[in-house]
Amino acid sequence: MTQPNTIVQRLPVVLLYQMMDGPYLYDANLDVFTPISFDTFQKLNVAFQSVHDGKVEIEKNSEIEKLIAKGFLSENRVEELRHPLIETMRTFSQRALASITLQVTQSCNLRCKYCIYSNQIKKQRSHSQKKMEFETAIKGIDFLYERSMDAPRINIGFYGGEPLLEFDMIKRLVEYAEEKFRGKEIGFSITTNATLLTEEKYTYMQCHNFSITISIDGNRESHNRNRVFLSGKGSFDQIARNIKAIKEIHPDVPATLTISTVIDPEIPLTLESSTASEFLKGIRVNAAVVELEDPNQIAFSEDFSEKYQYFRFLSLRKFYGKLSASCELPTFCSEGIEKLYHEFKSLGSCSRLPQIGAPDGPCMPGLLRLFINADGDFFPCEKVSELSEVMNIGSIYKGFDFGKMENIINFSTISHRNCKTCPVFRHCGICAKLCDGGDKLSEDAFLSACSNSIDDFKGRLKYWTLFYKELKLDTRYSKV
């Protein structure tokens, strides 16, 4: 029987957590958090531990009544898991396709020790001498052309292996595409290890609106630990010579390049090992931790973890203006803090959870970053396994397989775990790649990724709360 001072309702989509200064409540419907009293924290925690038929009995106090009046603890939730873009996906794919990435070769002149193609990941292909036939690439460009009438801008990417091994073919494809898409803005992109990058190639790419991403892992010592030639020799010196030679002719190089850095968590993290060398100063850096088949197998050394948290702490103090602006810190730490701040500023900008929706995370497979491998097969992007049947979403010969695409974008339905009541719904970072079981999407893999996503969200939430406490920038989070 319900007591006079209690309320019985469906379990709200919220998360309780504690900081040094006390407890907080995050509400997924409002997409905001607020500090709460220990009494309120205890009453809600007790209620949420006892769920019967999807309902909880909450003992009220004056603060809980104010929370409810302000829209917190609502019974509203997603009632049906279905990605909202499914309805428009077919039309988009026929009229607004804007980008493809062509795997011009599967060959590479390096043998990076962490490379997904170096037999480190059993579910992925190995290095091979296979290259894309020119006719296959032309069919890919034609496929894009026929389905891009509503796209305001076109981008064609070149990927490998090492794509500069096929630079002559790339030039032919660029000339074909520029003529094919005459009258429409078009750009190109390439990801390269830069060992074959010359002044001539760079000049050509600059003349044809290329964005260039170069793979360099910090300084000479850290880079050469993993990024080696077939002989085992490190590749850093060759890359340095190439870029220095290009900078003599093109002093604006920093504005035209992006550095892609892979962080190896098994080695000690120092400012020197994680910071770009002097000849790369001013170039934007994107960093990611080394990729393994099972993300849970990534081994973070104790030294790495301690130094990472230390640099994050310093980056946070620098962001607050409590550390000199001239203090140099690892780029991936300082940029990570800036990203968290932008996430914080966007909180509360959404409407309530929709009746029909899907967790944030899955992209429109193939429609934003369609990857075409050397055989002409389609994949959602270049990061998924080319051996996966579930990730193969068509080909230049058969077109899109919409059944598979809908399956991928709706992968949250493969599990019995109820995403509808998950407080991470708006900020879920699960990619369908993490659920790849080869011939089907794997529920076990999904649940593992789900657990990691929740842990990641809790960590981000605490940083957001630190911004609120330190900067006092938004009245949405004032105490109720």
Side-chain angles (χ1 to χ4, degrees), residues 7-53:
I7 179 174
V8 177
Q9 64 166 70
R10 291 203 300 180
L11 179 69
V13 189
V14 299
L15 178 67
L16 296 169
Y17 64 103
Q18 296 198 62
M19 301 289 287
M20 291 291 292
D21 64 332
Y24 284 77
L25 169 72
Y26 168 78
D27 191 296
N29 263 294
L30 302 179
D31 194 29
V32 298
F33 58 83
T34 184
I36 57 176
S37 67
F38 282 103
D39 180 59
T40 294
F41 178 86
Q42 185 176 25
K43 283 179 167 55
L44 293 178
N45 194 42
V46 168
F48 298 161
Q49 296 301 316
S50 182
V51 182
H52 300 288
D53 296 325

Side-chain angles (χ1 to χ4, degrees), residues 361-374:
C363 63
M364 293 175 68
L367 302 188
L368 299 180
R369 298 174 62 186
L370 177 62
F371 179 64
I372 306 177
N373 76 355

Side-chain angles (χ1 to χ4, degrees), residues 34 58 80 83 114 137 144 148 187 193 220 222 224 227 288 291 293 299 307 347 353 358 361 376 381 398 409 458 476:
T34 184
I58 303 172
E80 179 183 350
H83 202 287
Y114 53 63
L144 174 63
S148 61
N193 60 39
R220 185 177 190 275
S222 56
N224 284 345
R227 300 190 65 82
E291 181 178 350
E293 189 164 24
K307 292 289 180 57
L347 291 175
L353 291 170
C381 69
K398 298 179 180 179
I409 202 171
K458 289 178 178 178
R476 286 176 298 177

Side-chain angles (χ1 to χ4, degrees), residues 220-366:
R220 185 177 190 275
E221 181 181 2
S222 56
H223 177 94
N224 284 345
R225 179 184 176 93
N226 288 309
R227 300 190 65 82
V228 298
F229 289 102
L230 276 70
S231 64
K233 179 183 177 181
S235 60
F236 185 86
D237 292 341
Q238 180 64 53
I239 299 169
R241 283 194 296 270
N242 292 347
I243 295 180
K244 287 177 181 177
I246 291 170
K247 287 182 72 175
E248 290 181 3
I249 302 174
H250 298 277
D252 60 344
V253 161
T256 62
L257 298 180
T258 297
I259 300 298
S260 175
T261 294
V262 173
I263 306 297
D264 185 347
E266 293 186 354
I267 64 175
L269 177 65
T270 65
L271 179 60
E272 292 74 20
S273 69
S274 59
T275 303
S277 298
E278 190 64 34
F279 70 94
L280 296 172
K281 294 299 183 183
I283 301 178
R284 187 164 60 92
V285 177
N286 292 329
V289 175
V290 62
E291 181 178 350
L292 294 179
E293 189 164 24
D294 180 358
N296 294 316
Q297 293 179 349
I298 296 176
F300 289 85
S301 68
E302 183 176 348
D303 178 86
F304 180 93
S305 298
E306 290 178 356
K307 292 289 180 57
Y308 178 75
Q309 293 301 329
Y310 174 65
F311 283 134
R312 290 273 278 198
F313 168 72
L314 293 181
S315 296
L316 194 61
R317 288 187 59 80
K318 185 176 180 179
F319 186 85
Y320 290 156
K322 296 184 177 181
L323 197 64
S324 171
S326 62
C327 179
E328 188 173 16
L329 295 169
T331 305
F332 68 90
C333 286
S334 55
E335 288 188 350
I337 294 297
E338 291 176 7
K339 179 181 177 182
L340 286 165
Y341 175 71
H342 288 303
E343 291 175 347
F344 163 72
K345 290 297 292 180
S346 69
L347 291 175
S349 60
C350 303
S351 57
R352 287 175 176 268
L353 291 170
Q355 294 296 294
I356 300 174
D360 184 47
C363 63
M364 293 175 68

Side-chain angles (χ1 to χ4, degrees), residues 1-4 6 8 57:
M1 182 176 177
T2 304
Q3 299 300 313
T6 63
V8 177
E57 185 173 351

